[in-house]
Amino acid sequence: MARQIDPQLALMLEEEAARINSPAFIKDDPVQFPHRFTDLRDIEITALLSAMIAWGKRTMICRDAERLLQLMNHEPYLYLKEEAYEELDDRRNIHRTFFASDLKHFMRGMRAIYSRYSSLDALGDSIKAGQHQTPAWRLVEEIAKYMGAANDDRSDPQCFPTNLKTTALKRINMALRWLVRDDGIVDLGVWHSIPKSKLYIPLDVHVGNVSRQLGLIDRKSNDRKTVEQLTAVLRELDPEDPVKYDFALFGIGAGV
């Protein structure tokens, strides 16, 4: 059973989420990159890639995401379709420990998906991801099959975690927040296969620490169980849109 939240804390979370979830947030966050496109495939590719490299300082993440889009000539789906990524040197650095070899792995898998489905959202719909208790993990499980088949049965944890029983799946949960939430402010709301009520909080070190300080969770590990525990608490506040509080948990203590 989810714990009860003090009314004053609940009000503070509501106010902080509303304050930070504003158009001004977009320009300094990786969510700005999928916002540049209208074709769903361009949006999906850009959202996933921007989320995949989203660790470290936001300024560095945005700098490297910008460079990645330049590398793709600002046409990610066409770049994927034409397999232009195969010309890259595997050792080319994209962001920190994410290299061109990882980009190739991702692109090959996505190309295999798009050869069968009109979008990644359509893949999610085909496996009824939105009816699953934990849609993000179910979706990654399915994506991993395509990634492996397109890459000689190899996995790449730089793209998608392989330990699905324990991983917090932070980067994918963040990308899904962008793609699914439909309030028309920061997040794009272009997907229909997963309802926003089924989203899970993107849990990183900062969000975990803030949540513990506020008494929302007590587990020390930033793992899947903690994601499920924290999201269950947030669903007590808003069952239909629990992940909107990601804005509040991100902003508290971050000087945003």
Side-chain angles (χ1 to χ4, degrees), residues 190-201:
V190 292
W191 269 26
H192 306 288
S193 61
I194 298 172
K196 61 187 176 184
S197 61
K198 290 284 193 76
L199 293 175
Y200 280 78
I201 199 78

Side-chain angles (χ1 to χ4, degrees), residues 30-197:
V31 73
Q32 67 181 278
F33 300 106
H35 265 284
R36 298 180 185 180
F37 301 96
T38 55
D39 185 282
L40 182 55
R41 296 162 301 186
D42 286 328
I43 293 171
E44 291 175 342
I45 294 166
T46 305
L48 286 176
L49 284 174
S50 298
M52 278 179 193
I53 64 171
W55 77 95
K57 293 182 178 180
R58 280 207 300 167
T59 52
M60 291 181 62
I61 295 165
C62 291
R63 179 201 68 188
D64 291 344
E66 187 73 66
R67 291 175 178 175
L68 181 54
L69 280 180
Q70 290 172 0
L71 175 66
M72 296 187 289
N73 199 30
H74 301 280
E75 295 181 297
Y77 178 67
L78 181 62
Y79 184 81
L80 177 150
K81 185 178 178 181
E82 295 182 345
E83 300 180 89
Y85 48 86
E86 295 294 358
E87 299 174 4
L88 297 176
D89 185 329
D90 282 354
R91 298 166 294 180
R92 179 169 180 161
N93 185 249
I94 305 296
H95 175 74
R96 301 185 73 175
T97 58
F98 192 91
F99 289 86
S101 57
D102 305 305
L103 178 62
K104 290 179 182 180
H105 184 99
F106 170 79
M107 288 294 201
R108 290 169 188 148
M110 290 296 287
R111 193 172 189 275
I113 291 171
Y114 288 133
S115 69
R116 182 170 180 181
Y117 297 96
S118 61
S119 67
L120 196 58
D121 187 34
L123 168 62
D125 189 57
S126 74
I127 62 171
K128 296 181 171 54
Q131 297 179 25
H132 199 271
Q133 184 176 355
T134 53
W137 286 266
R138 175 67 188 95
L139 184 64
V140 169
E141 180 183 38
E142 192 67 19
I143 291 173
K145 296 177 183 178
Y146 287 90
M147 292 285 164
N151 289 280
D152 300 322
D153 294 322
R154 290 181 292 106
S155 60
D156 185 349
Q158 292 289 358
C159 295
F160 295 95
T162 55
N163 53 334
L164 291 182
K165 290 184 178 180
T166 59
T167 179
L169 217 59
K170 179 258 180 180
R171 293 175 291 168
I172 301 305
N173 279 319
M174 182 170 68
L176 290 181
R177 196 204 83 199
W178 298 345
L179 294 166
V180 171
R181 287 195 70 253
D182 57 355
D183 62 3
I185 304 174
V186 171
D187 299 319
L188 290 91
V190 292
W191 269 26
H192 306 288
S193 61
I194 298 172
K196 61 187 176 184
S197 61

Side-chain angles (χ1 to χ4, degrees), residues 240-254:
E240 293 304 312
D241 191 13
V243 174
K244 72 180 182 185
Y245 299 108
D246 183 39
F247 292 104
L249 298 174
F250 167 80
I252 295 171

Side-chain angles (χ1 to χ4, degrees), residues 1-3 5 133-137 168-169 173 195-203 207 211 216-219 223-246 249:
M1 180 181 294
R3 65 189 64 193
I5 301 179
Q133 184 176 355
T134 53
W137 286 266
L169 217 59
N173 279 319
K196 61 187 176 184
S197 61
K198 290 284 193 76
L199 293 175
Y200 280 78
I201 199 78
L203 180 68
V207 168
S211 299
L216 299 174
I217 55 174
D218 48 28
R219 297 189 79 254
D223 58 9
R224 178 173 174 170
K225 284 186 178 180
T226 301
V227 172
E228 292 173 346
Q229 181 187 91
L230 177 56
T231 305
V233 173
L234 299 176
R235 285 194 178 120
E236 291 290 310
L237 295 177
D238 191 335
E240 293 304 312
D241 191 13
V243 174
K244 72 180 182 185
Y245 299 108
D246 183 39
L249 298 174

